[in-house]
Amino acid sequence: MKAEPRLHAPDVDEVLQLLVEDPRLRDQLRFVVEIDRLKSIQRRNLLVDGSRRENSAEHSWHQALMAMVLLEHAGAHGSGAAAEGAPNDASDAQGSSLDAGRVLRMLLVHDLVEIDAGDTFLYDTVGYQDKEARETAAAERIFGLLPADQGAELRALWDEFEAKESPEARFAGAVDRIQPLLHNLLTAGSQWRHYGVTADRVRLANRDVARGSGSLGAVTTALIDVAEQRGFLESAPQSDIQGDRPGPMDDAPGAEGVSGDGIGA
Amino acid sequence: MKAEPRLHAPDVDEVLQLLVEDPRLRDQLRFVVEIDRLKSIQRRNLLVDGSRRENSAEHSWHQALMAMVLLEHAGAHGSGAAAEGAPNDASDAQGSSLDAGRVLRMLLVHDLVEIDAGDTFLYDTVGYQDKEARETAAAERIFGLLPADQGAELRALWDEFEAKESPEARFAGAVDRIQPLLHNLLTAGSQWRHYGVTADRVRLANRDVARGSGSLGAVTTALIDVAEQRGFLESAPQSDIQGDRPGPMDDAPGAEGVSGDGIGA
């Protein structure tokens, strides 16, 4: 058959019905197709090279791989940051007692609700007022695409991440916080400056990193100090910031105010 | 301190030296910063909605989450596709005997070498001639950023994925193949048509999906048949395709020839 110059994209449900007889596998593949939309959810922070905003899917990948590499630093008594310098036996012991697979699975699913609810910027006090309600509704729909047992399993991972009670969730939460801090530092505070976020708010919003990882908590403290010293973060108070909902990418601050390529001076 | 209107992005090594005293944690964070570059490596296939090409970081996330959801279909005797329809007890048994964590870790690292080597299109016979040499050099450098024990661990995962000998690697490889097939089908064969890839080449390149998952192998067979019937894939022979190396995004075929939003007709 000869290809037409212009063809219709097939309907997902109709074509999966053709390809897959087993309804369980069909529901799983429907979910697989649906989650592709997370790649179009824009976060506030830029890539390290300052070229564009990060999306929530690539962010989730980065975090899972970060967790693989940093797991030995899990636990509130981890060391390794400049402020301490003691051997990190304690954090090793604690890191290795975590369920590494659950940390990875949590980080892989932790942002899926943003497909419907959008990414809520950490410093958006207005957006945080209804964040929980928006995300809970999103979880119902998105995890509900899966066979019931799997939907419940992934929903439980998301609930665990949100609750930040288990050592695994606290460590995953620490990774989730330190990655945008690093990106902001390495882009000369691009998003902090764009949205007028101040050092005191960054300290407050990231105070729990140390609960998930003592080492990463110490890095966080040092990072915010350096950012303030270099003028990437201001100390003055600031007004509320509006939320970011799904839809066409908005003003996309880009790399204004950042010189160089974000790596190198 | 007041923010300057234009500030220099800090040097990564210099700033990590300031933040982290422990050289092990510093090397780990250097790796974490480096891998951000995978988000700028463009693959050939589009997102499901046809809006843009996919990058290798978000692709890796998608695959890891796919593997989580589809693991029960691992094993060459899995069922569940339209061609069979038998209960999938056999695949369940085989799926649950796999090391799920290793599958996830393999998929999270499997494309890291593309930071240096670029994404080599599956149907690029010229690019495949030196793919192994380019990727091996990339692996040396990128995994070499980590502390030696972790570098070796991640390198071993990549080697295992490439060898496609273990059941975990064969299943991960099946997931790696079926995801772009789904994207191409759902964008009316956009990249196949753009590059003139024919049905026989797609069948040949994806013949090993069934080794990793019988169920997904059957879906692959049905998918290629449907794509050919609808004119998304031609049967005629075609010439070689040039490779895709890192650098500014090239012609970026976009969504030409795809009507609708890629979901829905």
Side-chain angles (χ1 to χ4, degrees), chain A residues 36 56 78 119 134 155 192 249 256 262 264:
Chain A
D36 195 61
S56 294
D119 178 54
R134 283 184 286 118
R155 169 64 188 259
W192 292 326
M249 187 164 152
E256 74 264 27

Side-chain angles (χ1 to χ4, degrees), chain A residues 1 14 22 24 28 32 36 39 48 52 54-55 58 61-62 69 72-73 183 229-230 259, chain B residues 1 8 14 24 28 32 36 39 48 52 54-55 58 62 69 72-73 80 108 150 229-230:
Chain A
M1 183 181 287
E14 182 225 312
D22 174 12
R24 182 173 170 88
Q28 290 165 334
V32 161
D36 195 61
K39 299 168 189 170
V48 168
R52 62 169 172 83
E54 187 184 40
N55 72 58
E58 61 196 5
W61 164 78
H62 202 171
V69 163
E72 68 195 45
H73 303 287
H183 283 232
Q229 285 155 18
R230 298 204 175 185
S259 70
Chain B
M1 181 180 288
H8 283 278
E14 183 224 312
R24 182 173 171 88
Q28 290 165 332
V32 162
D36 195 62
K39 299 168 188 170
V48 168
R52 62 169 173 84
E54 187 184 41
N55 72 59
E58 61 197 6
H62 202 171
V69 163
E72 67 194 45
H73 304 286
L108 290 170
Q150 284 193 318
Q229 285 156 18
R230 298 203 175 186

Side-chain angles (χ1 to χ4, degrees), chain B residues 168-189:
Chain B
E168 284 82 3
R170 287 203 298 265
F171 177 65
V175 169
D176 187 43
R177 288 290 155 88
I178 201 166
Q179 187 248 8
L181 290 172
L182 275 170
H183 282 233
N184 260 315
L185 178 73
L186 293 171
T187 52

Side-chain angles (χ1 to χ4, degrees), chain B residues 125-187:
Chain B
T125 51
V126 175
Y128 261 78
Q129 286 169 10
D130 66 346
K131 178 175 186 279
E132 190 177 335
R134 282 184 287 117
E135 293 192 343
T136 302
E140 295 288 334
R141 186 189 75 80
I142 295 162
F143 297 129
L145 294 171
L146 283 167
D149 59 320
Q150 284 193 318
E153 191 189 319
L154 268 62
R155 171 64 188 259
L157 286 168
W158 179 67
D159 286 339
E160 181 181 352
F161 178 82
E162 289 292 307
K164 299 288 185 301
E165 282 164 10
S166 69
E168 284 82 3
R170 287 203 298 265
F171 177 65
V175 169
D176 187 43
R177 288 290 155 88
I178 201 166
Q179 187 248 8
L181 290 172
L182 275 170
H183 282 233
N184 260 315
L185 178 73
L186 293 171
T187 52

